[in-house]
Amino acid sequence: MDIGEDRVIALVDMDCFYVQVEQRINPELKNKPCVVAQYKTWKGGGIIAVSYEARAHGVSRNMWADDARKLCPDLQVARVREAHGKADLTPYREASVEVIEVMSRFAVIERASIDEAYMDLTGSVQDRLKHMSVQDITPQQLKSTYTQGFPQTSTSDPSEDARRLRGLQQWLERLSSSGQSSRAELCLTVGALIVEEMRAAVEEHTGFRCSAGISHNKVLAKLACGLNKPNHQTVLPLGSVPELFSTLPIRKIRNLGGKLGTSVKETLGVENIGDLTQFSKVQLEQHFGEKTG
DNA sequence: CATTACATTCCA
DNA sequence: TGGAATGTA
Ligand SMILES: Nc1ncnc2c1ncn2[C@H]1C[C@H](O)[C@@H](COP(=O)(O)OP(=O)(O)OP(=O)(O)O)O1
Ligand SMILES: [Mn+2]
Ligand SMILES: [Mn+2]
């Protein structure tokens, strides 16, 4: 049977990347509400990257720096350097190369943008599984991993990380008690081990933090990556997809953020990705090659 | 007044 | 085959 996909795919995306690059150049900016803006003259410049401290004040991309300062009075504004009257993105490009070089020691990397890359870990996972089993996996090896859909029960936890850990423990317990049927889930978990090591190496060698998603295809990996930013990674097993999709706006799926997504929504009269499962493949709008549901 | 950059697909 | 449209970072 060829139901889901058996591959293990990861997507690693740097957290507020240009901000981290500027913070490494000027350490005074670290741990502060901070943005990167370009073109100073008009309203203080347009913001293209925002630290998580600044996001807590409501600052976002596309804002003018002058407007952002109204929301966050002690906002630090780093500026994109200019060369020949044009924005000079060289420092960010070079930082990107540093990151890719570290990641390439772990897997074959497919660069998807200046701050993110996909990788197929299927082979590496199979190799590791020859020398290990479920019992060898501990929560300590997955310190920054969320397992989407877990914990399944809702008790009150003392902290967000306690909740994460409870979910992870439930997940590992289920893995070891459900025999062979959860081979795909085991592969994702081993993939998460590899990605934990990769992300630690990236931080050690570049100083930059990132988040990651681990799932069975690129669309799901990208989606998973965004679920627990910053500085965390998320495993998205196939079994957790229906619940996630049931409340997920169509525009959140890669390639459906624009006019196509809006037209799908309006033509079929649906809001969430999960609503699309009631339609068959026959009703493809001469524009679909990629899906997941 | 967003800006800059890049990939893919469509189509004359 | 190259410019326009689309989508994303
Ligand atoms: N519209 C844009 N115009 C110019 N530069 C952009 C734009 N969007 C993103 N960038 C640049 C700045 C970002 O730091 C970098 C990576 O983008 P992206 O991954 O979407 O956000 P981010 O890394 O700043 O935050 P996050 O933590 O949410 O990933 O690319
Ligand atoms: Mn990013
Ligand atoms: Mn990105």
Side-chain angles (χ1 to χ4, degrees):
Chain A
M1 285 247 285
D2 187 19
I3 307 285
E5 297 177 68
D6 290 337
R7 294 178 302 159
V8 177
I9 305 294
L11 180 275
V12 177
D13 184 292
M14 309 310 294
D15 298 327
C16 52
F17 186 48
Y18 288 13
V19 168
Q20 288 201 83
V21 172
E22 294 297 337
Q23 286 173 329
R24 194 178 68 170
I25 294 169
N26 178 4
E28 303 235 318
L29 300 178
K30 283 183 184 175
N31 305 310
K32 288 181 180 165
C34 176
V35 298
V36 175
Q38 58 186 358
Y39 297 118
K40 183 166 186 156
T41 44
W42 188 263
K43 300 186 178 180
I47 292 172
I48 57 175
V50 187
S51 78
Y52 283 77
E53 291 85 350
R55 291 181 204 197
H57 291 259
V59 176
S60 69
R61 178 174 294 150
N62 301 342
M63 268 178 192
W64 300 114
D66 287 350
D67 293 338
R69 264 197 255 262
K70 293 171 196 159
L71 294 173
C72 180
D74 44 0
L75 186 70
Q76 308 289 312
V77 181
R79 287 212 156 61
V80 178
R81 285 135 201 80
E82 284 183 35
H84 323 128
K86 300 281 287 180
D88 176 20
L89 303 178
T90 308
Y92 316 113
R93 293 209 173 93
E94 290 176 352
S96 176
V97 170
E98 285 180 50
V99 170
I100 298 283
E101 279 175 357
V102 176
M103 293 197 303
S104 298
R105 302 211 302 255
F106 291 79
V108 175
I109 299 304
E110 179 194 339
R111 185 182 183 277
S113 83
I114 196 166
D115 91 320
E116 68 203 71
Y118 291 93
M119 58 215 74
D120 188 333
L121 298 175
T122 311
S124 316
V125 165
Q126 302 305 331
D127 287 348
R128 286 217 184 187
L129 278 173
K130 287 173 190 156
H131 314 290
M132 63 178 290
S133 70
V134 198
Q135 284 73 28
D136 300 321
I137 304 173
T138 68
Q140 288 73 37
Q141 296 170 296
L142 295 165
K143 279 189 196 312
S144 71
T145 297
Y146 279 84
T147 43
Q148 180 63 22
F150 294 79
Q152 290 177 321
T153 61
S154 63
T155 58
S156 69
D157 293 285
S159 71
E160 174 55 27
D161 198 62
R163 207 189 77 87
R164 180 196 67 80
L165 186 59
R166 196 159 60 83
L168 180 59
Q169 282 164 342
Q170 269 187 20
W171 168 261
L172 290 177
E173 219 163 283
R174 224 197 46 150
L175 260 193
S176 52
S177 66
S178 66
Q180 286 293 26
S181 62
S182 55
R183 174 83 189 180
E185 279 98 346
L186 175 60
C187 289
L188 289 186
T189 310
V190 174
L193 283 180
I194 296 171
V195 176
E196 285 273 4
E197 294 168 14
M198 180 183 306
R199 290 178 46 242
V202 167
E203 183 171 5
E204 183 191 348
H205 290 96
T206 69
F208 300 136
R209 291 181 172 178
C210 59
S211 300
I214 302 101
S215 192
H216 294 297
N217 62 48
K218 295 208 293 190
V219 170
L220 291 179
K222 172 68 184 170
L223 179 63
C225 179
L227 294 176
N228 293 288
K229 262 181 170 286
N231 202 26
H232 285 89
Q233 59 184 62
T234 305
V235 172
L236 177 52
L238 236 35
S240 298
V241 168
E243 188 192 333
L244 179 64
F245 276 16
S246 73
T247 60
L248 192 81
I250 288 170
R251 65 172 181 281
K252 300 289 181 186
I253 295 288
R254 197 171 197 283
N255 294 334
L256 295 181
K259 297 187 176 185
L260 176 60
T262 305
S263 84
V264 166
K265 194 169 97 111
E266 284 172 359
T267 307
L268 303 179
V270 294
E271 283 296 319
N272 299 322
I273 278 288
D275 302 335
L276 293 181
T277 56
Q278 60 191 303
F279 301 97
S280 68
K281 278 185 197 165
V282 185
Q283 288 139 309
L284 46 81
E285 291 189 306
Q286 71 198 186
H287 239 113
F288 257 42
E290 183 154 34
K291 260 209 56 184
T292 45

